Amino acid sequence: MPALAPAEQRVANAVLADPGGVAAMTISELAEVASTSETTVIRFCKQIGVPGYPQLRLQLAAQSAQESVRPEVGGDIEPGDSLADVVSKVSFADERAVRETAQQVDVDALAKVVDAVAKAPRVDLYGFGASAFVAMDLQQKLHRIRRVAFAWNDVHVALPSAALLGDGDVAIGISHTGTTVEVVEALEEAAKHGATTVAVTNFPRSPLAKTADLVLTTAARETTYRSGAMSSRIAQLTVIDCLFIGVAQQVLPDARKALEETATSVRGHRLKGSE
């Protein structure tokens, strides 16, 4: 939605506020609700990748029918919700983020990222806030299969590191909104020096996505109490796990041997008798 024109954003807000209701509206009715024109509604449809308004209505109806199966957990978290309600709603949001991310991930783009990372002499990972933990997770996974990777969550370290990258290296910027200035700056710096740049973001038309050679998108929805910030992290980890497994497959059997060796190295730090 951040990439839409103001009038298109009004249409988007109307759709998000009542998907099932919009599915039953004519195009004229939706235009009136959004205080805009039928032309804008059609333009909105095309902006989000739907051929026309009839197709939008069909998709909204199907989505509403699917979510009506669990109406008690499909909504927003409210101040008066019980802890049991919170558990149900958070788990539902996380499950939906993983499912929808998997459904829309660009497998061709993912394959190109996997190939680039598998061959890269070095991989830089930039993430700040909640995305920093995702970057650190990927760094740890790549190190365990002998891939040289560094996760940076300080712009004063990320930028100098990006400046030292070159042809064949890979820089991956992780940002849910795609508007985190530090991540965009680091990716731009890496691009200047010839590195392959990758964006992991929820918004394919965001500044971060426009900076990158390759884009891997997530599908997490923001809700109150920033529970979207939680489900966005889960969605990012889904993409990261797919990327890691793809790289590991390309460097077998070395990856299997490295995983066994790293597991053995910490075995002495587990309580005796535990498996």
Side-chain angles (χ1 to χ4, degrees), residues 68-100:
S68 67
V69 176
R70 298 179 69 186
E72 75 283 0
V73 297
D76 230 346
I77 297 173
E78 303 295 340
D81 282 347
S82 68
L83 192 55
D85 289 336
V86 170
V87 171
S88 294
K89 289 183 177 181
V90 169
S91 60
F92 177 77
D94 286 352
E95 182 271 334
R96 181 171 61 185
V98 171
R99 183 183 70 249
E100 294 182 352

Side-chain angles (χ1 to χ4, degrees), residues 208-223:
L208 181 64
K210 293 176 181 177
T211 300
D213 298 316
L214 297 165
V215 179
L216 300 177
T217 53
T218 56
R221 309 186 193 188
E222 292 285 1
T223 59

Side-chain angles (χ1 to χ4, degrees), residues 126 162-163 165-167 169-171 184-198 210-213:
Y126 314 121
L165 297 179
D167 292 341
D169 293 326
V170 175
V184 175
E185 287 180 344
L187 218 61
E188 288 176 341
E189 185 67 29
K192 288 180 187 176
H193 299 275
T196 298
T197 54
V198 180
K210 293 176 181 177
T211 300
D213 298 316

Side-chain angles (χ1 to χ4, degrees), residues 3 175-179 184 199 201-211 215:
S175 170
H176 173 71
T177 63
T179 59
V184 175
T201 180
N202 209 68
F203 299 95
R205 291 192 293 272
S206 64
L208 181 64
K210 293 176 181 177
T211 300
V215 179

Side-chain angles (χ1 to χ4, degrees), residues 46-245:
K46 293 181 178 178
Q47 281 280 65
I48 64 171
V50 180
Y53 188 61
Q55 291 83 357
L56 177 66
R57 292 180 65 186
L58 286 172
Q59 291 191 26
L60 289 175
Q63 182 74 16
S64 297
Q66 183 181 31
E67 294 188 356
S68 67
V69 176
R70 298 179 69 186
E72 75 283 0
V73 297
D76 230 346
I77 297 173
E78 303 295 340
D81 282 347
S82 68
L83 192 55
D85 289 336
V86 170
V87 171
S88 294
K89 289 183 177 181
V90 169
S91 60
F92 177 77
D94 286 352
E95 182 271 334
R96 181 171 61 185
V98 171
R99 183 183 70 249
E100 294 182 352
T101 293
Q103 288 172 345
Q104 58 78 58
V105 70
D106 186 337
V107 178
D108 291 336
L110 179 61
K112 292 176 182 177
V113 177
V114 165
D115 187 59
V117 171
K119 296 175 180 176
R122 173 175 153 184
V123 179
D124 259 17
L125 306 162
Y126 314 121
F128 296 81
S131 296
F133 298 105
V134 178
M136 291 170 63
D137 182 75
L138 181 55
Q139 174 194 282
Q140 190 255 0
K141 283 180 166 67
L142 291 175
H143 267 304
R144 287 199 62 190
I145 57 172
R146 295 190 223 274
R147 300 296 99 188
V148 179
F150 301 95
W152 307 115
N153 59 7
D154 182 334
V155 69
H156 295 283
V157 183
L159 287 174
S161 180
L164 295 176
L165 297 179
D167 292 341
D169 293 326
V170 175
I172 302 177
I174 305 171
S175 170
H176 173 71
T177 63
T179 59
T180 305
V181 174
E182 294 85 352
V183 178
V184 175
E185 287 180 344
L187 218 61
E188 288 176 341
E189 185 67 29
K192 288 180 187 176
H193 299 275
T196 298
T197 54
V198 180
V200 179
T201 180
N202 209 68
F203 299 95
R205 291 192 293 272
S206 64
L208 181 64
K210 293 176 181 177
T211 300
D213 298 316
L214 297 165
V215 179
L216 300 177
T217 53
T218 56
R221 309 186 193 188
E222 292 285 1
T223 59
T224 54
Y225 292 104
R226 295 289 295 164
S227 61
M230 291 182 277
S231 59
S232 68
R233 187 186 70 243
I234 297 298
Q236 289 170 345
L237 287 170
T238 299
V239 172
I240 291 306
D241 284 350
C242 293
L243 169 57
F244 165 70
I245 294 299

